[in-house]
Amino acid sequence: MTASVLMAGVFAISLSGCAPEVGSDKWCKQMSEKDKGDWSGNEAADYAKHCVFK
């Protein structure tokens, strides 16, 4: 059982490394390509703060 918990943790950590950092140029580009209707309120605020009003 301990091994399965460890493997789940390693898997979760490996997935988190794939997303670009909020506010980075890569993140801004990714958000501009994403349908605006799919943005969360936090994503919209972060986009305005980091990508529009630099």
Side-chain angles (χ1 to χ4, degrees):
M1 174 139 174
T2 305
S4 63
V5 172
L6 178 63
M7 291 301 292
V10 169
F11 179 72
I13 290 171
S14 69
L15 288 179
S16 66
C18 297
E21 182 179 348
V22 173
S24 67
D25 289 338
K26 186 175 180 180
W27 182 85
C28 290
K29 183 176 185 218
Q30 185 179 52
M31 288 301 294
S32 67
E33 294 171 353
K34 184 177 178 180
D35 183 23
K36 308 296 187 262
D38 292 337
W39 290 13
S40 70
N42 287 339
E43 287 175 331
D46 287 338
Y47 183 83
K49 179 180 177 184
H50 297 289
C51 306
V52 177
F53 300 112
K54 279 188 172 184

